[in-house]
Amino acid sequence: MSLATPGAAPADAPAVLSAPARSRRLRGTRRAAAGGTAAPGGRPAGRRLAGRLTPWLFLSGAVGLLLLFTYWPALNLFWYSVTDWDGIDLTKEFVGLDNYAQVFTDPRIFNVFWVSLYYFAASFAQMAIALYFATILSFSTRLSSFFRGILFFPYLINGVAVGFVFLYLFQPGGTLDTVLAWFGLADPPQWLGNPDIVNWSLAGTSVWRYTGLNFVLFLGAIQSIPHELYEAAELDGASRWQQFWAIIFPGIRRIIGLSFILAIAGSLSVFEIPFIMTGGANGSATFVIQTLQTAFNFRQVGLASAMAVVLLIIVLLVTWIQRALFPDEKVDLT
Amino acid sequence: MARKALAGIVLLTAAGVALSGCAGGGGGDQADNTIDGEVQGEIKVITWRTDLVEDGTFEAYAEEFNKTYPDVTVTFEGITDYAGEMQTRMSTTNYGDVIGIPNIQPAQFEQFLEPLGETADFEDTYRFLPAASFEGTQYGIAFGGNANGVVYNKRVFEEAGVTELPTTEAEWLAALQLVEDNTDAIPLYTNYKDGWPLTQSFSNLGAVTNDPDAPITMAENPAPWTEGTDVHAIDSLLFETVAAGLTEPDPLTTNWEQSKVDLGTGKIAAMTLGSWAISQMQDAAETGGASADDIGFMAFPAEVDGTQYAVIGGDYNLAVSRHSDAKAAAWAWIQWVVSESGYTEEQGMVSPVIDKELPETLQGLSEEGVELMEINPAPAGKEGLINEIADDSQIDLYGPIYRQKLVDIARGAAEGDKESYFAELNERWAASMANVAG
């Protein structure tokens, strides 16, 4: 920061020439330097220095934490992914791209992506339910705050608790079977034990848990639409259905687009619900569960890191393709 | 403003120092800090027995220990997911002074643990040494030992009309079929959902063929899932029992804590577990209003020339951390706790001290004429070979994943049959043998 004072110009260069030359590279330097010469004996130099440093100091905390806890571990992950580390040894041998080669050649690793399709399909149901209720509850409905609360509530529950609750729900003779028996369905399937049903049960649990989040996003977006539009539409005699298609849907298209990105990224990296409820058994293992098993059950942290990196790249790629195919259109309601 | 900014810098710097402090530190290289040094200082014991930390059992041990060694302060830390958490914790230098050796390769012992001496010098005093020994150096002493076999409910077996304990797979299936037909009990409970109980039957490796070198035999067999081997008998027993419908109807919703009560009260007839489970089952039986005498223990249903064998093996091995600041105190604690504390007697485990008697819980085995056997140390250079192949082939011999698949196939929930799955396992095993050797 010695550039801030004119005296800091290199001794061999004339100060008059060097100051503007530098200012082109470092915006703001010149102004400060000029201020310094224009008001000699003004504010103390240290104070000015601190004043200019302030924004950087504010930034440094957040950026520092981000670098320390996000980017540094991510870099470490890349490093692990090119070693044969077993997760505990003090030496890590460099093996180049062997791990990546294994990720792409071992069919057992990529097979589990089929499981993600269940969650992807379920995310459509999730968004439809959320959109339906968000639309209804954005109009003045009886007990609307109460229903809003009920719909958002599942999202507030810890994922582990949700897992356990549904574990009891799905047990043979558990809550779900009891309720079905009231309606005369005496012979329910094994919700988790049947390999054809287990992933739907788990995806259903996931829908129950995350609908609240979509709901709140949609509700917020719908409520940001100016109220006059509805009034005008009503004066023109538009039905609720027409209002939905002409005002609400285009008005919240961005949020729906965002939810889609989250849904795809989310269904590729499903973890906690299947992990807690089945531990990935019975064909319900997702890619993240398999990565975890590779790292800690089979002690191949190098390979698992490569899997994690590949998942990261896939998620980025999917998001990028989606953005390219459906660009962020400017919403215009007028 | 300036002062606040400066305060910010100071704070950040302090945080940085604190963080880097975590990475460094951990003395332990002083000359007088050896296991033969003066027994004093503070030691932290990291343990998987969270129940004994909570109910004060360990605290009572510490008080007793202090009568002999008053200059040592012992503190305890229980970790619920011990195996998983220690794996990340070992990458720091701060993992307590006394630990149970987690799942690391024998060749890695010296990176983390203090050598305790020549294995040969311990052989006259302690059992179960091979697991914590590498190239003739001993790194740990087992905290207690178990016999492996099957925990069962005697009353249910009687009601079902099983008069003789099974000694072959066919007899086993016939006995469980009787239980299925004549009682309401689930003949065999797999504990599939919790996973780890599925792994317990693997500890019978060696008992089937009376082969004390079983781990190395298996590591050097390119097709271990072939009729006549230990692992084939162990996995086949599970497969056939599930395939015959003699296990719980929905394995995905099993519950370990509940299963203890159910075995105690006779809703479950048998589980393949180590003898450590007996005392827990007896407690559960009494809690559930049944009798502790109902709980029995039998050897794995296999015999060699008319004799049944049961493998006894050590639990976690207690070891001194390389980074300990009070190695002598830590070593003194280990020696004291395995022989003086009364832990093995209370828990019904086999004491690692050779001179001590077998626990009462295993009396049933000796009455049946079952012979106890120990697994030999692996030959030099082949320690951990079986683990390396298991890791490379992703067949988790000591974990539940491949056995859950086995159960899935057996109950018709996954594609394939016994032959195709065992063939696949053999193929993966052989490929990894070549990998590890090359």
Side-chain angles (χ1 to χ4, degrees):
Chain A
M1 275 302 154
S2 56
L3 285 178
T5 45
D12 57 337
V16 188
L17 282 177
S18 68
R22 257 193 227 105
S23 75
R24 244 171 270 132
R25 277 179 283 137
L26 293 159
R27 282 170 56 190
T29 304
R30 192 175 156 239
R31 204 165 22 135
T37 43
R43 294 180 306 170
R47 187 119 174 235
R48 259 180 296 132
L49 180 71
R52 216 145 348 86
L53 275 178
T54 306
W56 297 105
L57 283 170
F58 273 106
L59 265 181
S60 67
V63 172
L65 289 174
L66 187 72
L67 290 176
L68 189 64
F69 292 114
T70 305
Y71 289 95
W72 179 242
L75 274 179
N76 264 331
L77 186 76
F78 277 108
W79 161 234
Y80 295 155
S81 74
V82 291
T83 67
D84 65 350
W85 195 38
D86 69 350
I88 199 156
D89 207 292
L90 296 182
T91 54
K92 305 177 183 69
E93 239 166 83
F94 180 76
V95 294
L97 294 176
D98 281 8
N99 289 324
Y100 289 94
Q102 201 181 337
V103 170
F104 287 108
T105 49
D106 190 341
R108 273 181 294 145
I109 291 177
F110 263 92
N111 261 345
V112 288
F113 271 118
W114 294 109
V115 174
S116 293
L117 289 181
Y118 289 91
Y119 294 90
F120 182 60
S123 66
F124 283 92
Q126 178 179 320
M127 273 191 271
I129 296 168
L131 192 55
Y132 176 74
F133 282 109
T135 310
I136 289 182
L137 293 177
S138 63
F139 297 111
S140 53
T141 317
R142 200 171 297 196
L143 291 176
S144 77
S145 322
F146 174 70
F147 284 116
R148 284 177 197 184
I150 283 189
L151 281 165
F152 188 56
F153 175 67
Y155 186 66
L156 298 176
I157 306 178
N158 181 292
V160 179
V162 172
F164 279 114
V165 167
F166 276 82
L167 207 53
Y168 283 104
L169 185 93
F170 287 132
Q171 242 166 23
T175 321
L176 185 59
D177 288 358
T178 313
V179 171
L180 289 178
W182 293 343
F183 296 99
L185 285 163
D187 199 21
Q190 288 176 358
W191 301 108
L192 297 175
N194 187 328
D196 302 327
I197 297 179
V198 58
N199 282 317
W200 290 116
S201 303
L202 295 173
T205 310
S206 170
V207 168
W208 185 84
R209 177 157 187 232
Y210 289 106
T211 299
L213 177 68
N214 280 138
F215 167 75
V216 168
L217 287 176
F218 291 154
L219 191 70
I222 291 173
Q223 291 191 329
S224 70
I225 298 170
H227 206 258
E228 300 85 62
L229 289 173
Y230 297 119
E231 283 169 13
E234 240 160 83
L235 283 177
D236 288 342
S239 70
R240 286 285 194 226
W241 189 241
Q242 285 165 329
Q243 283 180 30
F244 177 80
W245 279 118
I247 300 173
I248 296 178
F249 189 73
I252 64 168
R253 204 155 46 189
R254 272 181 166 194
I255 293 292
I256 294 177
L258 173 74
S259 298
F260 252 108
I261 294 174
L262 291 177
I264 293 180
S267 53
L268 285 172
S269 51
V270 179
F271 170 60
E272 53 195 23
I273 285 175
F275 187 72
I276 291 156
M277 293 180 65
T278 65
N282 199 20
S284 64
T286 63
F287 194 73
V288 181
I289 291 180
Q290 206 180 37
T291 305
L292 206 72
Q293 287 176 347
T294 307
F296 298 107
N297 294 60
F298 305 126
R299 299 191 302 185
Q300 296 172 324
V301 172
L303 178 60
S305 303
M307 288 167 73
V309 170
V310 169
L311 179 65
L312 176 70
I313 291 169
I314 291 175
V315 169
L316 288 178
L317 210 64
V318 167
T319 312
W320 178 75
I321 291 172
Q322 203 174 17
R323 300 297 281 175
L325 289 179
F326 307 101
D328 201 4
E329 293 162 41
K330 200 161 162 32
V331 177
D332 192 8
L333 285 170
T334 48
Chain B
M1 187 61 91
R3 206 177 293 158
K4 278 185 190 166
L6 280 176
I9 297 179
V10 171
L11 259 177
L12 273 174
T13 320
V17 170
L19 280 166
S20 55
C22 293
D29 288 329
Q30 301 96 318
D32 58 339
N33 182 18
T34 62
I35 56 167
D36 307 319
E38 218 171 317
V39 179
Q40 59 172 17
E42 284 179 35
I43 56 169
K44 181 179 246 181
V45 177
I46 312 269
T47 181
W48 60 98
R49 290 303 299 264
T50 47
D51 52 338
L52 299 184
V53 175
E54 274 159 29
D55 71 8
T57 308
F58 276 148
E59 209 51 54
Y61 288 173
E63 275 171 33
E64 201 61 35
F65 176 71
N66 281 142
K67 287 180 187 165
T68 322
Y69 301 104
D71 299 333
V72 183
T73 317
V74 190
T75 52
F76 300 95
E77 184 181 335
I79 299 180
T80 316
D81 175 23
Y82 186 83
E85 207 166 297
M86 277 312 266
Q87 192 148 36
T88 39
R89 204 150 161 185
M90 300 284 274
S91 60
T92 71
T93 56
N94 174 24
Y95 46 88
D97 300 289
V98 176
I99 59 168
I101 302 179
N103 188 14
I104 57 178
Q105 296 282 13
Q108 295 170 334
F109 285 160
E110 58 166 0
Q111 295 179 19
F112 303 99
L113 310 171
E114 187 69 18
L116 304 176
E118 300 281 309
T119 301
D121 296 340
F122 289 96
E123 274 168 357
D124 296 333
T125 328
Y126 297 107
R127 296 175 196 268
F128 313 134
L129 294 173
S133 161
F134 181 67
E135 289 180 347
T137 304
Q138 195 65 27
Y139 288 91
I141 305 289
F143 197 9
N146 297 296
N148 294 288
V150 182
V151 186
Y152 70 105
N153 189 310
K154 289 180 189 166
R155 194 165 45 81
V156 175
F157 268 53
E158 258 167 51
E159 273 174 35
V162 180
T163 46
E164 296 255 315
L165 288 178
T167 57
T168 63
E169 187 184 288
E171 284 176 31
W172 162 265
L173 292 173
L176 292 192
Q177 191 63 50
L178 282 176
V179 173
E180 172 77 20
D181 296 343
N182 300 340
T183 69
D184 294 331
I186 296 170
L188 176 76
Y189 200 71
T190 62
N191 265 311
Y192 174 102
K193 156 76 172 62
D194 286 291
W196 63 265
L198 275 178
T199 69
Q200 293 270 315
S201 64
F202 184 69
S203 307
N204 289 302
L205 192 78
V208 178
T209 55
N210 184 25
D211 174 12
D213 298 313
I216 204 72
T217 309
M218 179 170 174
E220 290 180 336
N221 184 349
W225 280 270
T226 310
E227 187 94 44
T229 66
D230 281 275
V231 74
H232 181 272
I234 291 164
D235 284 340
S236 169
L237 189 83
L238 177 65
F239 189 98
E240 295 298 341
T241 315
V242 176
L246 300 171
T247 51
E248 66 272 13
D250 186 355
L252 264 296
T253 50
T254 61
N255 179 336
W256 163 247
E257 290 300 328
Q258 182 61 37
S259 75
K260 291 197 281 188
V261 180
D262 287 349
L263 188 107
T265 55
K267 285 181 194 154
I268 292 169
M271 292 197 242
T272 46
L273 295 172
S275 62
W276 55 266
I278 300 172
S279 56
Q280 294 194 26
M281 297 296 170
Q282 287 173 335
D283 286 347
E286 283 177 346
T287 315
S291 163
D293 296 335
D294 291 346
I295 308 298
F297 191 74
M298 63 170 130
F300 186 84
E303 59 179 5
V304 180
D305 300 330
T307 311
Q308 272 191 291
Y309 295 88
V311 174
I312 52 171
D315 200 348
Y316 276 110
N317 285 276
L318 299 183
V320 179
S321 161
R322 233 191 112 93
H323 302 284
S324 170
D325 287 327
K327 289 174 183 167
W331 176 223
W333 168 263
I334 292 175
Q335 286 172 298
W336 182 86
V337 84
V338 296
S339 55
E340 310 284 329
S341 68
Y343 169 80
T344 48
E345 287 86 346
E346 278 166 38
Q347 303 295 323
M349 296 172 92
V350 181
S351 173
V353 180
I354 289 177
D355 294 341
K356 295 210 177 183
E357 281 179 20
L358 286 179
E360 251 175 66
T361 45
L362 295 182
Q363 298 297 325
L365 282 186
S366 34
E367 279 164 28
E368 292 288 330
V370 174
E371 288 198 18
L372 301 183
M373 60 180 286
E374 276 188 61
I375 297 297
N376 290 337
K382 289 178 179 170
E383 294 100 340
L385 180 63
I386 189 171
N387 293 335
E388 277 175 48
I389 301 173
D391 287 344
D392 187 78
S393 60
Q394 300 211 343
I395 300 170
D396 52 335
L397 295 174
Y398 301 93
I401 298 165
Y402 98 91
R403 286 190 192 87
Q404 285 179 330
K405 181 87 186 289
L406 184 83
V407 172
D408 286 342
I409 294 172
R411 69 196 180 92
E415 276 172 39
D417 55 26
K418 187 172 155 184
E419 280 70 35
S420 67
Y421 191 52
F422 280 7
E424 184 202 323
L425 290 173
N426 277 336
E427 196 182 307
R428 276 159 65 183
W429 190 262
S432 291
M433 267 177 77
N435 254 358
V436 169

